[in-house]
Amino acid sequence: MKYALVTGGSRGIGRAVCLKLADMGYHILINYKSNDLEANETLRLVKEKNVSGQLMKFDVSNKAQVDSLLGGWIENNKEDTVEVLVNNAGVREDALLMWMTEEQWKNVMGSSLDAFYYVTRLLVMGMLANRYGRIVNVVSLSGIKGMPGQANYSAAKAGVIGATKALAQEVARRGVTVNAVAPGFISTDMTQDLNEAELKKLIPMQRFGQPKEVADAIGFLASPEASYITASVLSINGGLYS
Ligand code: NAP
């Protein structure tokens, strides 16, 4: 069976990615941290598309949990291949740097940058052995431009961009591609607290994006058709910044 793992698949962009990859015929491993209700709703929607889905509850920033839950799955499913990995889980904890606590710094770095390392290193080996794989990392405009109040988030996402480019060159010869998408403002729980009416005036398209608009781009990068695209960062931001 061919699987795709989506971290942070319970809600927002991650849920839309699960549904897109299900449309592409993948069986979906839905990772999330704590929201059982939303994760089960994603699972229900995935199953409606006539593929199987499986919930995988673990904290991507916790190495022991990743090794035990994801490592355990790999060990017990040796006949199956995870062809697609979408590193999507992430959190925002904004503060000006001078007020930022170590906890805020570490939480944000952990869920994006450490998580990239913990999760990807377990799956890349199988992709190399199969001589096929697609890794897509969800970064952010913040990691390209830098955003005031988000030194932690900008650093974490910029770090993942660097790791994307490095890993892409390590695995290119074996048919494994590694790319990143960098959304601007997308309507999800993560942006609920922002002043959309004011912020959308800054966006040439005059609106926030929808999770599906990010998922469709990820679906393309995760498809066989994107075979000559690697080490790239695709902005999905309505023209806000490039
Ligand atoms: P969201 O609606 O807040 O959903 C976050 C998802 O990540 C949830 O599924 C959550 O699981 C999961 N998650 C968070 N921390 C986790 C952890 N430590 N371990 C496992 N799962 C974890 O966020 P979103 O807007 O869809 O964002 C998805 C990605 O896009 C993030 O990487 C974010 O940085 C990036 N992004 C978003 C925007 C935007 O405007 N929304 C813009 C640029 C980039 P639970 O449901 O269990 O909490």
Side-chain angles (χ1 to χ4, degrees):
M1 294 242 284
K2 289 181 177 179
Y3 282 89
L5 169 65
V6 181
T7 70
S10 52
R11 294 181 281 132
I13 293 169
R15 173 182 287 168
V17 173
C18 289
L19 300 183
K20 178 70 190 179
L21 296 174
D23 278 337
M24 291 164 61
Y26 281 106
H27 300 283
I28 312 293
L29 303 175
I30 306 162
N31 160 260
Y32 67 109
K33 184 178 176 185
S34 58
N35 197 328
D36 300 319
L37 200 69
E38 296 292 341
N40 273 296
E41 176 60 6
T42 302
L43 180 61
R44 189 186 67 76
L45 294 167
V46 160
K47 285 181 174 168
E48 273 184 6
K49 294 183 180 288
N50 292 322
V51 294
S52 71
Q54 197 175 320
L55 296 182
M56 280 199 153
K57 186 177 182 176
F58 58 83
D59 178 349
V60 290
S61 68
N62 181 316
K63 184 174 183 295
Q65 283 188 30
V66 176
D67 285 349
S68 141
L69 271 292
L70 180 58
W73 188 92
I74 294 167
E75 191 59 35
N76 293 326
N77 293 273
K78 290 210 172 91
E79 302 304 307
D80 299 319
T81 56
V82 180
E83 270 193 358
V84 175
L85 164 63
V86 181
N87 284 306
N88 164 77
V91 293
R92 254 182 64 208
E93 289 196 37
D94 300 353
L96 293 176
L97 185 79
M98 60 187 164
W99 306 120
M100 190 175 284
T101 64
E102 189 176 355
E103 198 186 5
Q104 288 173 318
W105 177 266
K106 289 201 162 151
N107 283 347
V108 172
M109 294 297 278
S111 62
S112 281
L113 188 55
D114 295 346
F116 164 83
Y117 167 70
Y118 297 150
V119 173
T120 308
R121 72 189 188 101
L122 294 188
L123 292 177
V124 77
M125 207 97 82
M127 292 180 184
L128 291 171
N130 286 332
R131 294 186 168 268
Y132 184 85
R134 295 283 182 264
I135 299 172
V136 184
N137 301 316
V138 181
V139 295
S140 171
L141 167 68
S142 188
I144 300 174
K145 180 184 177 290
M147 297 283 259
Q150 293 195 321
N152 51 358
Y153 189 78
S154 299
K157 296 299 192 183
V160 175
I161 290 173
T164 299
K165 293 180 179 182
L167 179 61
Q169 293 172 71
E170 292 178 17
V171 299
R173 272 182 298 181
R174 294 278 194 112
V176 180
T177 66
V178 190
N179 292 289
V181 296
F185 293 107
I186 307 298
S187 298
T188 68
D189 292 345
M190 186 178 273
T191 50
Q192 280 287 299
D193 61 329
L194 302 182
N195 186 340
E196 182 169 347
E198 280 306 309
L199 286 169
K200 72 182 184 185
K201 293 180 193 159
L202 306 173
I203 304 169
M205 287 193 183
Q206 300 276 291
R207 64 176 178 88
F208 277 20
Q210 293 303 313
K212 185 175 180 302
E213 294 178 291
V214 180
D216 284 341
I218 292 175
F220 172 65
L221 291 173
S223 73
E225 286 74 23
S227 47
Y228 203 55
I229 303 174
T230 199
S232 72
V233 183
L234 178 63
S235 287
I236 307 172
N237 61 27
L240 184 56
Y241 186 85
S242 62

